[in-house]
């Protein structure tokens, strides 16, 4: 009996050690592996339809699914990223040469404010316009410098990027082809009851699909609409601002307003009334409608997670995990809620056994 306990504890120690070692080995390609798994879950239903169309030929169905994913996801993402970096580098040149001065725009806004507003700002100790102007100019220069540096980094790390992309696509192919078998095998290794496994698996896949499809659909739609209205109004860097609005739209409630609201205020206080009114009406009625209609349908309806939990978990995920966090954050929140929902039944099963 003592030998059996010793052997089991030794095995657990060995299992823990090799698991940690394996995770350390995979860490350099964490993002590639993560997005390969996410894309396999998101496009799983499409792959199953193709598998039926190919009469069960798993290799052909997986290859067809992979090609479709490359065409509708990978290639557009590469194109937009390249155009965004080029535009960011161009804006950096305009800022560093003095053609685009965010501080000067801010000064115009402040000067256009009535005297009563100036006295109110002075009363609360925020009337030092010049310090704020310098900070805005410095922030704009730093932000544009970051975008410009990314253009250099992309060139320097092209080989690493291609390797990561190759790892992701290679893994994605096998996850699409062998996904059901891997899922069944993993269920045998998890020491949970069948109903708990099914509940957590369904919650996991539902949240991943809803979060990725819903948030990306909302982000792409809001970013596209925001970029179009900026281009229509003649605002420089419409692509860059559209992408930023799309990225910020990942945050419920606030989102794209962080970009278009200051621009609308600038228009109104500098006399460009019709541009400001058009921008406000379009962003509130059209872009806001996208957030209020699409997000609950595509995200909240399936995940059944309150909006405030999605907002906080998304912010936390982005802070801890970077861009990957907009999926990881809500996923952790959903699994947290699901596990606590299962807690009473787990206690009953333990008492009955």
């Amino acid at each position: 009996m003592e030998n059996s306990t010793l052997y089991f504890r030794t095995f657990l120690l060995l299992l823990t050690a090799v698991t940690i070692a394996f995770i350390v080995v995979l860490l350099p390609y964490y993002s590639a592996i993560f997005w390969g798994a996410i894309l396999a879950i998101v496009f799983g239903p499409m792959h199953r339809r193709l598998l039926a169309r190919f009469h069960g030929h798993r290799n052909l169905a997986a290859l067809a699914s992979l090609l479709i994913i490359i065409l509708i996801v990978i290639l557009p993402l590469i194109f937009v990223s390249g155009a965004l970096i080029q535009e960011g580098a161009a804006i950096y040149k305009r800022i560093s040469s003095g053609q685009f001065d965010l501080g000067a725009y801010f000064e115009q806004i402040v000067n256009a404010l009535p005297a009563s507003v100036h006295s109110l700002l002075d009363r609360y100790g925020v009337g030092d316009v010049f310090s704020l102007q310098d900070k805005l100019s410095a922030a704009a220069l730093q932000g544009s410098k970051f975008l410009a540096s990314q253009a250099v980094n992309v060139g320097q790390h092209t080989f690493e990027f291609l390797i990561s992309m190759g790892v992701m696509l290679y893994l994605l192919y096998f996850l699409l082809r062998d996904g059901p078998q891997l899922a069944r095998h993993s269920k045998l290794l998890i020491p949970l009851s069948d109903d708990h496994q099914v509940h957590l698996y369904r919650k996991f896949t539902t949240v991943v699909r809803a979060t990725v499809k819903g948030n990306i659909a909302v982000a792409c739609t809001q970013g596209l609409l925001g970029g179009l209205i900026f281009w229509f109004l003649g605002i420089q860097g419409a692509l860059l601002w559209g992408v930023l609005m799309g990225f910020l739209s990942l945050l419920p409630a606030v989102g794209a307003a962080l970009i278009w609201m200051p621009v609308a205020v600038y228009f109104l206080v500098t006399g460009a009334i019709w541009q400001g009114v058009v921008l406000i009406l379009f962003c509130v009625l059209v872009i806001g409608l996208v957030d209020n209609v699409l997000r609950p349908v595509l995200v909240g309806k399936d995940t059944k997670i309150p909006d405030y939990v999605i907002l906080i978990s998304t912010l936390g995920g982005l802070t801890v995990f970077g861009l990957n966090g907009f999926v990881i954050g809500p996923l952790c929140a959903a699994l947290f809620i699901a596990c606590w929902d299962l807690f009473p039944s787990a206690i009953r099963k333990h008492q009955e056994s």
Side-chain angles (χ1 to χ4, degrees):
M1 185 65 180
E2 292 181 359
N3 286 339
S4 176
T5 303
L6 177 63
Y7 294 157
F8 182 69
R9 290 177 178 175
T10 304
F11 174 76
L12 288 181
L13 182 62
L14 176 64
L15 181 63
T16 302
V18 297
T19 302
I20 293 173
F22 186 61
I23 292 173
V24 171
V25 168
L26 296 181
L27 275 179
Y29 298 101
Y30 140 72
S31 291
I33 296 169
F34 175 77
W35 282 106
I38 293 299
L39 289 174
I41 293 172
V42 171
F43 288 93
M46 180 198 74
H47 173 69
R48 287 192 289 271
R49 288 193 292 270
L50 287 175
L51 186 62
R53 201 174 278 270
F54 282 104
H55 305 291
H57 292 285
R58 293 190 301 153
N59 291 326
L60 288 176
L63 182 60
S65 298
L66 187 63
L67 291 175
I68 292 173
I69 293 171
I70 292 173
L71 288 175
I72 68 176
V73 176
I74 306 300
L75 292 181
L77 187 61
I78 292 174
F79 172 77
V80 172
S81 298
L84 175 63
I85 290 173
Q86 289 181 355
E87 189 157 312
I91 288 180
Y92 170 66
K93 290 180 181 178
R94 290 201 293 268
I95 291 177
S96 58
S97 64
Q99 296 177 9
F100 178 79
D101 189 351
L102 188 60
Y105 290 135
F106 176 73
E107 185 180 4
Q108 284 183 272
I109 295 175
V110 173
N111 291 335
L113 295 174
S116 58
V117 177
H118 280 278
S119 61
L120 185 65
L121 292 175
D122 291 333
R123 185 184 307 169
Y124 287 99
V126 291
D128 189 0
V129 175
F130 294 105
S131 65
L132 290 174
Q133 180 180 340
D134 293 339
K135 290 177 182 178
L136 283 174
S137 299
L141 186 61
Q142 286 296 113
S144 59
K145 188 182 293 185
F146 170 76
L147 289 175
S149 67
Q150 295 309 302
V152 178
N153 290 336
V154 168
Q156 293 176 343
H157 301 289
T158 300
F159 182 72
E160 294 178 13
F161 172 77
L162 291 176
I163 292 294
S164 295
M165 183 67 68
V167 169
M168 186 193 74
L169 295 176
Y170 184 76
L171 176 64
L172 178 58
Y173 170 82
F174 286 102
L175 289 177
L176 289 170
R177 193 192 72 172
D178 303 326
Q181 291 84 351
L182 291 173
R184 285 195 294 269
H185 182 67
S186 63
K187 289 180 180 179
L188 298 176
L189 302 177
I190 300 175
L192 291 175
S193 62
D194 292 340
D195 53 340
H196 286 180
Q197 286 191 21
V198 169
H199 180 79
L200 291 175
Y201 175 77
R202 286 178 179 172
K203 177 63 71 173
F204 179 84
T205 55
T206 298
V207 169
V208 168
R209 288 178 185 142
T211 302
V212 175
K213 290 192 299 183
N215 282 331
I216 288 180
V218 172
C220 290
T221 305
Q222 290 194 341
L224 177 62
L225 292 172
L228 286 175
I229 192 62
F230 272 39
W231 170 79
F232 175 76
L233 295 174
I235 300 171
Q236 292 182 342
L239 175 63
L240 174 62
W241 300 124
V243 171
L244 287 176
M245 279 191 278
F247 179 76
L248 289 172
S249 69
L250 296 174
L251 305 177
V254 287
L258 294 174
I259 300 295
W260 65 259
M261 184 65 76
V263 178
V265 171
Y266 172 78
F267 278 144
L268 292 176
V269 300
T270 55
I273 303 299
W274 77 265
Q275 291 95 329
V277 172
V278 167
L279 182 59
I280 291 174
L281 290 177
F282 184 87
C283 291
V284 171
L285 298 179
V286 179
I287 295 181
L289 187 67
V290 169
D291 191 69
N292 293 329
V293 173
L294 279 184
R295 192 184 299 277
V297 171
L298 296 177
V299 183
K301 181 181 177 181
D302 289 335
T303 61
K304 296 181 176 61
I305 303 176
D307 286 343
Y308 62 88
V309 175
I310 293 178
L311 173 61
I312 296 172
S313 60
T314 301
L315 284 172
L318 290 170
T319 302
V320 176
F321 299 103
L323 186 59
N324 299 331
F326 88 90
V327 177
I328 299 177
L331 180 60
C332 290
L335 292 178
F336 172 81
I337 295 172
C339 287
W340 277 101
D341 286 341
L342 292 174
F343 184 63
S345 63
I347 293 178
R348 287 195 298 271
K349 287 180 179 294
H350 176 70
Q351 291 174 344
E352 292 171 359
S353 60

